[in-house]
Coordinates of all heavy atoms in Angstrom, one line a residue:
L1 N 0.8 -1.2 0.0 CA 0.0 0.0 0.0 C 0.8 1.3 0.0 O 0.4 2.3 -0.6 CB -1.0 0.0 1.2 CG -2.1 -1.0 1.1 CD1 -2.8 -1.1 2.4 CD2 -3.0 -0.7 0.0
G2 N 2.0 1.3 0.7 CA 2.8 2.5 0.7 C 3.3 3.0 -0.6 O 3.1 4.1 -1.0
G3 N 3.7 2.0 -1.4 CA 4.2 2.4 -2.8 C 3.0 2.8 -3.7 O 3.2 3.8 -4.5
L4 N 1.9 2.2 -3.5 CA 0.7 2.6 -4.3 C 0.2 3.9 -3.9 O -0.1 4.7 -4.8 CB -0.4 1.5 -4.2 CG -0.1 0.2 -4.8 CD1 -1.2 -0.8 -4.4 CD2 0.0 0.3 -6.3
A5 N 0.2 4.2 -2.6 CA -0.2 5.5 -2.1 C 0.7 6.6 -2.6 O 0.3 7.7 -3.0 CB -0.3 5.5 -0.6
S6 N 2.0 6.3 -2.6 CA 3.0 7.3 -3.1 C 2.8 7.6 -4.6 O 2.8 8.7 -5.1 CB 4.4 6.8 -2.9 OG 5.3 7.7 -3.4
Q7 N 2.5 6.5 -5.4 CA 2.3 6.7 -6.8 C 1.0 7.5 -7.1 O 1.0 8.4 -7.9 CB 2.3 5.4 -7.5 CG 2.1 5.4 -9.0 CD 3.2 6.1 -9.7 OE1 4.4 5.9 -9.5 NE2 2.9 7.1 -10.6
M8 N 0.0 7.2 -6.3 CA -1.3 7.9 -6.5 C -1.1 9.3 -6.2 O -1.7 10.2 -6.8 CB -2.4 7.2 -5.6 CG -3.7 7.9 -5.8 SD -5.0 7.2 -4.8 CE -4.4 7.8 -3.2
T9 N -0.4 9.6 -5.1 CA -0.1 11.0 -4.7 C 0.6 11.8 -5.8 O 0.2 12.9 -6.1 CB 0.7 11.0 -3.4 OG1 0.0 10.3 -2.4 CG2 0.9 12.5 -3.0
N10 N 1.6 11.2 -6.4 CA 2.3 11.8 -7.5 C 1.4 12.0 -8.7 O 1.4 13.1 -9.3 CB 3.5 10.9 -8.0 CG 4.6 10.9 -7.0 OD1 4.8 11.9 -6.2 ND2 5.4 9.9 -7.0
D11 N 0.5 11.0 -9.1 CA -0.4 11.2 -10.2 C -1.4 12.3 -9.9 O -1.8 13.0 -10.8 CB -1.1 9.9 -10.5 CG -0.2 8.9 -11.2 OD1 0.9 9.3 -11.7 OD2 -0.5 7.7 -11.1
Y12 N -1.9 12.3 -8.7 CA -2.8 13.4 -8.3 C -2.2 14.8 -8.5 O -2.8 15.7 -8.9 CB -3.5 13.2 -6.9 CG -4.4 14.4 -6.6 CD1 -5.6 14.4 -7.2 CD2 -3.9 15.5 -5.9 CE1 -6.5 15.5 -7.0 CE2 -4.7 16.5 -5.7 CZ -6.0 16.6 -6.2 OH -6.8 17.7 -6.0
G13 N -0.9 14.9 -8.1 CA -0.2 16.1 -8.2 C -0.2 16.6 -9.7 O -0.4 17.8 -9.9
H14 N 0.1 15.7 -10.6 CA 0.1 16.0 -12.0 C -1.3 16.4 -12.4 O -1.5 17.4 -13.2 CB 0.5 14.8 -12.9 CG 2.0 14.5 -12.6 ND1 3.0 15.3 -12.9 CD2 2.6 13.4 -12.1 CE1 4.2 14.8 -12.6 NE2 3.9 13.6 -12.1
L15 N -2.3 15.7 -12.0 CA -3.7 16.0 -12.3 C -4.1 17.4 -11.8 O -4.8 18.1 -12.5 CB -4.7 15.0 -11.7 CG -6.2 15.3 -11.9 CD1 -6.6 15.3 -13.3 CD2 -7.0 14.3 -11.0
A16 N -3.7 17.7 -10.6 CA -4.1 19.0 -10.0 C -3.5 20.1 -10.9 O -4.1 21.2 -11.1 CB -3.6 19.1 -8.6
L17 N -2.2 20.0 -11.3 CA -1.6 21.0 -12.1 C -2.3 21.1 -13.5 O -2.6 22.2 -13.9 CB -0.1 20.6 -12.4 CG 0.7 21.6 -13.2 CD1 0.8 23.0 -12.6 CD2 2.1 21.0 -13.5
Q18 N -2.6 20.0 -14.1 CA -3.3 20.0 -15.4 C -4.7 20.5 -15.2 O -5.3 21.2 -16.1 CB -3.2 18.7 -16.0 CG -1.8 18.2 -16.5 CD -1.8 16.8 -17.0 OE1 -2.8 16.1 -17.0 NE2 -0.6 16.4 -17.5
G19 N -5.4 20.1 -14.1 CA -6.7 20.6 -13.8 C -6.8 22.1 -13.7 O -7.8 22.7 -14.1
R20 N -5.8 22.6 -13.0 CA -5.7 24.1 -12.9 C -5.7 24.8 -14.2 O -6.3 25.8 -14.5 CB -4.5 24.5 -12.0 CG -4.5 26.0 -11.6 CD -3.4 26.4 -10.8 NE -3.1 25.5 -9.7 CZ -1.8 25.0 -9.5 NH1 -0.8 25.4 -10.2 NH2 -1.6 24.1 -8.5
M21 N -4.8 24.2 -15.1 CA -4.7 24.8 -16.4 C -6.0 24.7 -17.2 O -6.5 25.6 -17.9 CB -3.6 24.2 -17.2 CG -2.2 24.6 -16.6 SD -0.8 24.0 -17.6 CE -0.8 22.3 -17.3
A22 N -6.7 23.5 -17.1 CA -7.9 23.2 -17.8 C -9.0 24.2 -17.3 O -9.8 24.7 -18.1 CB -8.4 21.8 -17.6
A23 N -9.0 24.4 -16.0 CA -10.1 25.3 -15.4 C -9.8 26.7 -15.8 O -10.8 27.4 -16.1 CB -10.0 25.2 -13.9
A24 N -8.6 27.1 -15.9 CA -8.3 28.5 -16.3 C -8.7 28.8 -17.8 O -9.0 29.9 -18.1 CB -6.8 28.8 -16.1
T25 N -8.7 27.8 -18.6 CA -8.9 28.0 -20.0 C -10.3 27.5 -20.5 O -10.7 27.7 -21.6 CB -7.9 27.2 -20.9 OG1 -8.0 25.8 -20.6 CG2 -6.5 27.7 -20.7
A26 N -11.1 27.0 -19.5 CA -12.4 26.4 -19.9 C -13.4 27.6 -20.2 O -13.3 28.6 -19.6 CB -12.9 25.6 -18.7
E27 N -14.3 27.3 -21.1 CA -15.4 28.2 -21.5 C -16.7 27.5 -21.4 O -16.7 26.4 -21.9 CB -15.2 28.8 -22.9 CG -14.0 29.7 -23.0 CD -14.2 31.0 -22.3 OE1 -15.3 31.5 -22.1 OE2 -13.2 31.6 -21.9
P28 N -17.6 28.0 -20.7 CA -17.7 29.2 -20.0 C -17.0 29.1 -18.6 O -16.6 28.0 -18.3 CB -19.2 29.4 -19.8 CG -19.8 28.0 -19.8 CD -18.9 27.2 -20.8
E29 N -16.9 30.2 -18.0 CA -16.2 30.2 -16.7 C -16.8 29.3 -15.7 O -16.0 28.8 -14.8 CB -16.3 31.7 -16.2 CG -15.3 32.0 -15.0 CD -15.3 33.4 -14.7 OE1 -15.1 34.3 -15.6 OE2 -15.5 33.7 -13.5
E30 N -18.1 29.0 -15.7 CA -18.7 28.1 -14.8 C -18.1 26.7 -14.9 O -18.0 26.0 -13.9 CB -20.2 28.0 -15.1 CG -20.9 29.3 -14.8 CD -22.3 29.3 -15.5 OE1 -22.7 28.3 -16.0 OE2 -22.9 30.4 -15.6
I31 N -17.8 26.3 -16.1 CA -17.2 25.0 -16.3 C -15.8 24.9 -15.6 O -15.4 23.9 -15.0 CB -17.0 24.6 -17.8 CG1 -18.4 24.6 -18.5 CG2 -16.3 23.3 -18.0 CD1 -19.3 23.5 -18.0
G32 N -15.0 26.0 -15.8 CA -13.7 26.1 -15.1 C -13.9 25.9 -13.6 O -13.1 25.2 -12.9
F33 N -14.9 26.6 -13.0 CA -15.1 26.5 -11.6 C -15.5 25.0 -11.2 O -15.0 24.5 -10.2 CB -16.2 27.4 -11.1 CG -16.5 27.4 -9.7 CD1 -15.7 27.9 -8.7 CD2 -17.7 26.7 -9.2 CE1 -15.9 27.8 -7.4 CE2 -17.9 26.6 -7.9 CZ -17.1 27.2 -6.9
Q34 N -16.3 24.4 -12.0 CA -16.7 23.0 -11.8 C -15.5 22.1 -11.8 O -15.3 21.2 -11.0 CB -17.7 22.6 -12.8 CG -18.5 21.3 -12.4 CD -19.6 21.1 -13.4 OE1 -19.3 21.0 -14.7 NE2 -20.8 20.9 -13.0
I35 N -14.6 22.3 -12.8 CA -13.4 21.4 -12.9 C -12.6 21.6 -11.6 O -12.1 20.6 -11.0 CB -12.6 21.8 -14.2 CG1 -13.4 21.4 -15.4 CG2 -11.2 21.1 -14.1 CD1 -12.7 21.9 -16.7
K36 N -12.3 22.9 -11.3 CA -11.5 23.2 -10.1 C -12.1 22.5 -8.8 O -11.4 21.9 -8.1 CB -11.4 24.7 -9.9 CG -10.6 25.1 -8.7 CD -10.6 26.6 -8.5 CE -10.0 27.0 -7.2 NZ -10.2 28.4 -6.9
T37 N -13.4 22.7 -8.6 CA -14.1 22.1 -7.4 C -14.0 20.6 -7.4 O -13.7 20.0 -6.4 CB -15.5 22.6 -7.4 OG1 -15.6 24.0 -7.4 CG2 -16.3 22.1 -6.2
R38 N -14.2 20.0 -8.5 CA -14.2 18.5 -8.6 C -12.8 17.9 -8.4 O -12.7 16.9 -7.8 CB -14.9 18.0 -9.8 CG -16.4 18.3 -9.7 CD -17.2 17.7 -10.9 NE -18.6 17.9 -10.7 CZ -19.5 17.6 -11.6 NH1 -19.1 17.1 -12.8 NH2 -20.8 17.8 -11.4
V39 N -11.8 18.6 -8.9 CA -10.4 18.2 -8.7 C -10.1 18.3 -7.2 O -9.4 17.4 -6.7 CB -9.5 18.9 -9.6 CG1 -8.0 18.7 -9.2 CG2 -9.7 18.6 -11.1
Q40 N -10.5 19.3 -6.6 CA -10.3 19.5 -5.1 C -11.0 18.4 -4.4 O -10.4 17.8 -3.4 CB -10.8 20.9 -4.7 CG -9.9 22.0 -5.1 CD -10.4 23.4 -4.8 OE1 -11.6 23.5 -4.4 NE2 -9.6 24.4 -4.8
E41 N -12.2 18.1 -4.7 CA -13.0 17.0 -4.0 C -12.2 15.7 -4.2 O -12.2 14.9 -3.3 CB -14.4 16.9 -4.5 CG -15.2 18.1 -4.1 CD -16.6 18.2 -4.8 OE1 -16.9 17.3 -5.7 OE2 -17.4 19.1 -4.5
L42 N -11.7 15.5 -5.4 CA -10.9 14.2 -5.7 C -9.7 14.2 -4.8 O -9.4 13.2 -4.2 CB -10.6 14.1 -7.1 CG -9.6 13.0 -7.5 CD1 -10.3 11.6 -7.2 CD2 -9.3 13.1 -9.0
G43 N -9.1 15.3 -4.6 CA -7.9 15.4 -3.7 C -8.2 15.0 -2.3 O -7.5 14.3 -1.6
H44 N -9.4 15.5 -1.8 CA -9.8 15.2 -0.4 C -10.1 13.7 -0.3 O -9.7 13.0 0.7 CB -11.1 15.9 0.0 CG -10.8 17.4 0.1 ND1 -10.0 17.9 1.1 CD2 -11.3 18.5 -0.6 CE1 -10.0 19.3 1.0 NE2 -10.8 19.6 0.0
G45 N -10.7 13.1 -1.4 CA -10.9 11.7 -1.4 C -9.6 10.9 -1.4 O -9.5 9.8 -0.7
C46 N -8.6 11.4 -2.1 CA -7.3 10.7 -2.2 C -6.6 10.8 -0.8 O -6.0 9.8 -0.4 CB -6.4 11.4 -3.2 SG -6.9 11.0 -4.9

């Protein structure tokens, strides 16, 4: 589990970075907010 948790944490870090970029460029702005919120909720679940 330790190795898997570490790998998942790294992958989530990449997702958070890419999610931030996707949220910033999403049209309409509401979609960007939704992406940001759901990525954060995923982070809490992780």
